[in-house]
């Protein structure tokens, strides 16, 4: 892994609550992590039409349930651990994320919870909120492919009715159906091996999502600008974003690392 990062050098321009760190892990580490991910037993994965995911804790082995808990939107039966060799790749990763200082004020001072998602080309995740279960800092590592991450806001309450530019969605914070503004407030290109850290109300009062497309096309007529373009490390990707171009998606794995403030339910050990 690379040296300890100084977050201040990675602030997304125009935002004081998002940080983008390219090449947070090396190609060798990426390959190792993907291999470990693919070794996770099939029964631990939860298949959805547009992605599959599993939930694990960063530091515990598969027989230790002491820190496991229920996370809103994620059924308890998916709780498991990634199969890892010693020393745990997850522990190492979490230590490095802790060392960025982003989780300094979180209850455990470091992520204690990881959601692993796998997206094939053409898959994505609808705009959603993650709910109030977590401390409002999230660190997401991307592996295997790039993705374009959009952040959205809700339409103001007084705008009743769903206009053509909005989508009605259930809000985890209010429990009500609300209309979202389809124009993203911010969009980021996440390179493979990058870490993005978002905090504060980008997390608590906004939604986030990834379009279910096979390729991403950039250019003024194709969609919103990428707020982190100046921070991109890969010259080819950067040029595609700056001058206009198309990037084909490959299989992407994301590790969404957070601190669960309150563990809502203790779970029985997995028997398999
Ligand atoms: O794959 C990602 O980066 C986003 C995952 C996500 O938003 C979630 O699992 O709630
Ligand atoms: Fe999410």
């Amino acid at each position: 892994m690379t040296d300890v990062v100084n977050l201040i050098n990675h602030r997304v321009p125009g935002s004081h609550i998002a940080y983008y760190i390219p090449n947070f892990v090396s190609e060798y580490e990426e390959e190792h992590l993907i291999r470990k991910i693919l070794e996770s037993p099939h029964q631990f994965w939860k298949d959805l039409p547009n992605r599959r995911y599993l939930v694990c804790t960063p530091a515990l082995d598969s027989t230790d349930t002491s820190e496991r808990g229920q996370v809103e939107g994620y059924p308890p039966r998916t709780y498991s651990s990634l199969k890892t060799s010693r020393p745990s790749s997850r522990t190492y990763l979490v230590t490095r994320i802790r060392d960025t200082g982003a989780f300094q004020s979180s209850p455990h001072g470091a992520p204690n919870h990881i959601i692993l998602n796998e997206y094939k080309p053409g898959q994505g995740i609808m705009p959603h909120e993650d709910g109030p279960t977590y401390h409002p800092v999230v660190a997401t590592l991307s592996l295997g492919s790039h993705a374009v991450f959009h952040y959205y806001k809700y339409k103001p309450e007084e705008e009743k009715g769903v206009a053509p530019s909005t989508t009605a969605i259930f809000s985890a914070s209010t429990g009500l159906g609300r209309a979202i503004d389809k124009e993203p407030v911010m969009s980021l290109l996440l390179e493979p091996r990058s870490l993005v850290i978002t905090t504060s109300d980008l997390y608590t009062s906004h939604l986030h999502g990834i379009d279910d497309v096979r390729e991403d096309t950039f250019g003024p007529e194709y969609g919103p600008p990428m707020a982190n373009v100046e921070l991109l490390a890969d010259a080819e990707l950067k040029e595609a974003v700056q001058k206009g171009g198309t990037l084909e998606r490959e299989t992407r794995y994301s590790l969404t690392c957070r601190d669960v403030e309150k563990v809502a339910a203790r779970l029985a050990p997995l028997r398999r």
Side-chain angles (χ1 to χ4, degrees), residues 50-51 118-128 145-152 167 180-184 186-188 190 207-218 222-224 226 247-250 252:
N50 242 4
R51 65 188 161 108
E118 180 197 76
Y119 306 86
K120 300 284 185 199
Q123 296 191 317
I125 187 164
M126 274 178 58
H128 64 282
S145 179
H146 78 277
V148 175
F149 213 88
H150 298 294
Y151 297 89
Y152 302 90
T167 305
I180 66 161
D181 192 334
K182 268 177 127 179
E183 212 52 57
M186 186 171 81
S187 301
L188 300 175
L190 308 183
L207 306 103
H208 52 277
I210 300 169
D211 292 345
D212 50 356
V213 293
R214 293 189 159 270
E215 54 187 33
D216 294 286
T217 303
F218 304 92
Y222 289 107
M226 299 297 114
L247 298 176
E248 288 192 13
R249 295 253 189 99
E250 292 178 55
R252 172 176 176 260

Side-chain angles (χ1 to χ4, degrees), residues 202-264:
L202 199 51
Y203 197 65
T204 51
S205 59
H206 286 77
L207 306 103
H208 52 277
I210 300 169
D211 292 345
D212 50 356
V213 293
R214 293 189 159 270
E215 54 187 33
D216 294 286
T217 303
F218 304 92
E221 65 277 29
Y222 289 107
M226 299 297 114
N228 62 331
V229 61
E230 292 305 332
L231 300 171
L232 297 174
D234 184 305
E236 219 175 294
L237 266 67
K238 194 169 180 172
E239 189 173 298
V241 173
Q242 282 174 327
K243 299 192 175 154
T246 297
L247 298 176
E248 288 192 13
R249 295 253 189 99
E250 292 178 55
T251 300
R252 172 176 176 260
Y253 299 92
S254 65
L255 283 85
T256 303
C257 306
R258 292 179 272 211
D259 191 345
V260 179
E261 260 173 283
K262 226 162 82 204
V263 174

Side-chain angles (χ1 to χ4, degrees), residues 6-22 149 151 185-190 194-199 202 225-232:
N6 184 351
L7 267 195
I8 223 69
N9 300 330
H10 297 279
R11 194 152 56 82
V12 173
S15 161
H16 58 287
I17 49 182
Y19 302 88
Y20 177 79
I21 307 162
F149 213 88
Y151 297 89
V185 290
M186 186 171 81
S187 301
L188 300 175
L189 174 62
L190 308 183
S194 71
L195 187 79
V196 62
I197 298 175
T198 50
T199 62
L202 199 51
M226 299 297 114
N228 62 331
V229 61
E230 292 305 332
L231 300 171
L232 297 174

Side-chain angles (χ1 to χ4, degrees), residues 34 54 78 97 114 177 194 217 220 233 266-268:
I34 292 177
L54 68 76
T78 62
I97 293 173
I114 299 175
S194 71
T217 303
R266 300 225 176 250
L267 301 167

Side-chain angles (χ1 to χ4, degrees), residues 27 42 49 61 70 99 107 150 157 189 207 229 252 264:
E27 285 186 28
H42 182 73
D61 70 29
Q70 163 90 56
D99 290 348
H150 298 294
E157 286 292 348
L189 174 62
L207 306 103
V229 61
R252 172 176 176 260

Side-chain angles (χ1 to χ4, degrees), residues 61-211:
D61 70 29
S62 59
T63 56
D64 186 344
T65 58
S66 57
E67 280 293 317
R68 287 189 191 153
Q70 163 90 56
V71 174
E72 205 161 305
Y74 292 92
R77 72 169 184 277
T78 62
Y79 267 79
S80 67
S81 292
L82 278 176
K83 253 187 131 199
T84 51
S85 58
R86 77 284 61 98
S88 160
S89 344
R90 289 166 296 143
T91 312
Y92 196 27
L93 188 63
V94 162
T95 303
R96 283 213 59 228
I97 293 173
R98 186 200 59 199
D99 290 348
T100 66
F103 284 83
Q104 237 166 17
S105 60
S106 86
H108 305 93
N112 64 355
H113 188 273
I114 299 175
I115 298 169
L116 168 61
N117 280 291
E118 180 197 76
Y119 306 86
K120 300 284 185 199
Q123 296 191 317
I125 187 164
M126 274 178 58
H128 64 282
E129 282 180 62
D130 288 345
T133 317
Y134 304 102
H135 178 75
V137 175
V138 56
T140 301
L141 182 72
S142 295
L143 302 171
S145 179
H146 78 277
V148 175
F149 213 88
H150 298 294
Y151 297 89
Y152 302 90
K153 64 178 180 332
Y154 288 104
K155 287 281 225 181
E157 286 292 348
E158 59 271 20
E159 287 187 38
K160 295 283 183 229
V162 179
S165 64
T166 64
T167 305
I169 197 152
F170 179 82
S171 161
S173 53
T174 64
L176 300 170
R178 291 181 66 184
I180 66 161
D181 192 334
K182 268 177 127 179
E183 212 52 57
V185 290
M186 186 171 81
S187 301
L188 300 175
L189 174 62
L190 308 183
E191 293 168 287
R193 300 180 294 284
S194 71
L195 187 79
V196 62
I197 298 175
T198 50
T199 62
S200 186
D201 72 344
L202 199 51
Y203 197 65
T204 51
S205 59
H206 286 77
L207 306 103
H208 52 277
I210 300 169
D211 292 345

